[in-house]
C-alpha cells in the first residue's frame, strides 16, 4: 500500500476507538503486527501508549 502523507497532513489519533478502528482497517488490508505498527505511525500521529495497550489486550 503506497501512501504519501505529508507530516502536516497527519491526523492525530488519541481516542481509543479511533485507534482501534485504524488497527482493524489496516488488518483487513493484510498488515501483520510488525507492518501494522510501521504503517499506522507513518499515516497518523498516534498515542503509542494507548496503541500498545490495545494490542496487548487483543493478544
Amino acid at each position: 500500500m503506497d501512501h504519501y502523507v505529508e507530516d502536516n497532513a497527519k491526523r492525530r489519533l488519541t481516542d481509543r476507538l479511533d485507534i482501534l478502528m485504524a488497527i482493524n482497517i489496516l488488518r483487513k488490508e493484510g498488515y501483520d503486527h510488525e507492518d501494522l505498527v510501521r504503517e499506522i505511525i507513518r499515516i497518523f500521529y498516534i498515542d503509542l501508549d494507548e496503541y500498545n495497550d490495545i494490542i496487548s489486550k487483543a493478544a
Side-chain angles (χ1 to χ4, degrees):
M1 174 182 224
D2 292 322
H3 295 283
Y4 179 75
V5 178
E6 293 183 24
D7 281 346
N8 62 356
K10 287 183 180 182
R11 182 172 171 209
R12 189 172 305 274
L13 291 183
T14 56
D15 183 60
R16 189 173 191 84
L17 290 176
D18 290 338
I19 295 170
L20 189 56
M21 186 169 34
I23 290 170
N24 288 335
I25 290 169
L26 291 173
R27 281 187 176 163
K28 286 180 183 176
E29 291 188 15
Y31 288 93
D32 63 9
H33 176 68
E34 188 174 311
D35 293 334
L36 177 70
V37 71
R38 262 189 239 129
E39 187 68 10
I40 206 165
I41 289 170
R42 193 175 68 73
I43 297 171
F44 302 106
Y45 290 118
I46 187 167
D47 181 343
L48 289 176
D49 291 330
E50 195 71 34
Y51 172 84
N52 288 329
D53 187 49
I54 291 168
I55 294 297
S56 68
K57 288 183 179 178

